[in-house]
């Protein structure tokens, strides 16, 4: 992966130039499930004093854990009462500036991180590791993930004619993902060929891309597999996807190769992406 760090980072009041060691890890409210999962995997559970409403990770680090739940829409006084050192968010959570301003005034740092390209993944993990004094753990996680991912990627590169895959992000609007996004990386790592590699984002920093029915149907015979994201952005069940008559010309629909994949396995920047790679590899017949 490229080491190009294009995360959007908003750090207020205090510089993060010096990493906290494990004995003085900051108190963190995490407003994004991916942030929370990474911190848990790094062994920083005790640093987390609040989580988002979208948490889905259920690894062994969550046993017996029931932290308070927060939302970017909560009253700022609720955040202040929890006495965090850091509110860890996504740029969209603090886009209007209101919450950031109030928390800054109260002496709370606001850090907004977003991964928009597959090449930014490892630097994101390193940044979170640095915040909680878990740099060594972050490097170990990267090494383990990289070794497993590369087993699949090497096998995928050996394929002469990988099956074409259309990856659906939003069903009714016929939208996909940008070619340099994590979902596209998962498809390619799992042995597929992204037939929508000509998709373009509507604006910089956005991975959702309008594709359009006409352009998709023009590649009907290339779409050997149709994979639809399942999660907050696309709650359409598989039965509804299969019943959409306009998709019937696609090879995947003619041959019954239409699948749903959890958003957490394909779009969240965590080691759970490997689960997505394994699912896609099973569908494409890739053996690493």
């Amino acid at each position: 992966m490229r080491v190009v760090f294009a995360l959007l980072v908003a750090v207020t009041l205090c510089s993060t130039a010096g990493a906290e060691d494990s004995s003085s890890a900051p108190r963190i409210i995490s407003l994004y499930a991916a942030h929370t999962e990474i911190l848990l995997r790094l062994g920083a559970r005790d640093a987390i004093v609040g989580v988002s409403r979208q948490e889905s990770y259920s690894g062994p680090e969550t046993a017996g854990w029931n932290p308070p739940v927060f939302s970017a829409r909560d009253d700022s006084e609720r955040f202040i009462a929890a006495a965090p050192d850091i509110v860890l968010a996504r740029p969209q959570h603090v886009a209007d500036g209101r919450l950031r301003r109030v928390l800054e005034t109260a002496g709370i740092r606001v850090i907004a991180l977003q991964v928009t390209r597959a090449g930014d993944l490892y630097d994101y993990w390193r940044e979170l590791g640095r915040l909680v004094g878990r740099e060594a753990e972050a490097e170990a996680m990267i090494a383990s993930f990289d070794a497993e991912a590369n087993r699949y990627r090497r096998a995928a590169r050996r394929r002469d004619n990988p099956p074409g895959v259309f990856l659906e992000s939003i069903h009714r609007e016929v939208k996909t993902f940008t070619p340099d996004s994590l979902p596209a990386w998962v498809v390619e790592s799992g042995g597929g060929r992204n037939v929508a590699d000509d998709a373009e984002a509507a604006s910089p920093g956005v991975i959702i891309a309008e594709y359009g029915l006409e352009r998709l149907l023009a590649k009907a015979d290339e779409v050997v597999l149709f994979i639809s994201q399942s999660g907050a952005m696309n709650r359409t069940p598989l039965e509804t996807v299969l019943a959409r008559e306009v998709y019937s010309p696609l090879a995947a629909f003619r041959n019954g190769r239409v699948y749903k994949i959890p958003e957490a396995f394909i779009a969240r920047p965590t080691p759970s992406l490997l689960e997505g790679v394994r699912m896609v590899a099973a569908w494409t017949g890739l053996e690493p």
Side-chain angles (χ1 to χ4, degrees):
M1 290 184 171
R2 293 170 297 147
V3 187
V4 178
F5 196 33
L7 303 182
L8 303 176
V9 183
V11 183
T12 64
L13 290 185
C14 301
S15 169
T16 60
E20 295 85 353
D21 61 32
S22 58
S23 64
S24 59
R27 291 169 54 84
I28 295 174
I29 292 176
S30 169
L31 294 180
Y32 179 39
H35 299 338
T36 307
E37 180 178 339
I38 297 302
L39 293 176
L40 288 170
R41 287 178 180 268
L42 294 178
R45 182 173 116 166
D46 290 346
I48 305 171
V49 297
V51 298
S52 74
R53 303 184 189 280
Q54 289 77 41
E55 302 299 327
S56 61
Y57 178 63
S58 58
E61 302 89 348
T62 64
W65 193 51
N66 188 30
V69 173
F70 288 81
S71 164
R73 296 186 181 89
D74 289 346
D75 188 273
S76 56
E77 293 302 317
R78 186 163 184 265
F79 286 92
I80 295 170
D85 299 301
I86 295 172
V87 170
L88 190 56
R90 299 174 77 186
Q92 66 196 57
H93 294 143
V94 292
D96 66 4
R98 182 189 60 81
L99 180 61
R100 179 190 288 120
R101 287 192 298 270
V102 174
L103 296 181
E104 286 177 358
T105 301
I108 299 169
R109 294 160 58 191
V110 175
I111 303 178
L113 302 177
Q114 176 71 48
V115 177
T116 59
R117 298 183 300 181
D120 297 332
L121 185 65
Y122 293 167
D123 278 335
Y124 165 64
W125 294 355
R126 289 186 176 106
E127 175 70 3
L128 291 179
R130 189 184 63 77
L131 286 175
V132 293
R134 299 274 178 167
E135 294 94 331
E137 289 84 350
E139 293 301 329
M141 187 170 73
I142 289 168
S144 175
F145 180 93
D146 198 57
E148 181 68 2
N150 279 329
R151 283 204 314 119
Y152 285 89
R153 291 181 67 77
R154 283 192 294 269
R157 285 193 292 268
R158 290 194 293 268
R159 285 191 153 178
D160 293 328
N161 188 28
V165 178
F166 181 78
L167 187 58
E168 178 185 76
S169 59
I170 301 176
H171 179 65
R172 284 297 172 189
E173 301 174 39
V174 194
K175 290 188 176 182
T176 186
F177 296 93
T178 55
D180 60 353
S181 65
L182 287 171
W185 177 88
V186 169
V187 164
E188 292 164 0
S189 299
R193 176 179 63 83
N194 178 20
V195 300
D197 59 0
D198 55 342
E200 296 180 357
S203 59
V206 176
I207 68 170
I208 302 298
E210 177 73 47
Y211 205 68
L213 182 61
E214 183 177 351
R215 186 155 50 149
L216 178 59
L217 293 180
K219 299 182 178 182
D221 291 337
E222 296 181 49
V223 184
V224 177
L225 288 89
F226 187 101
I227 301 176
S228 176
Q229 173 183 238
S230 179
M233 294 187 63
N234 191 11
R235 299 186 185 279
T236 306
L238 179 60
E239 294 77 12
T240 301
V241 175
L242 289 169
R244 192 169 185 186
E245 292 186 4
V246 292
Y247 282 165
S248 60
L250 302 179
F253 280 74
R254 298 198 307 266
N255 300 320
R257 302 190 69 185
V258 180
Y259 308 99
K260 295 288 287 186
I261 191 168
E263 176 187 342
F265 292 172
I266 201 165
R268 285 185 188 167
T270 77
S272 294
L273 291 169
L274 285 176
E275 294 300 322
V277 171
R278 293 182 187 112
M279 290 178 72
V280 173
W283 296 330
T284 67
L286 180 70
E287 296 185 4

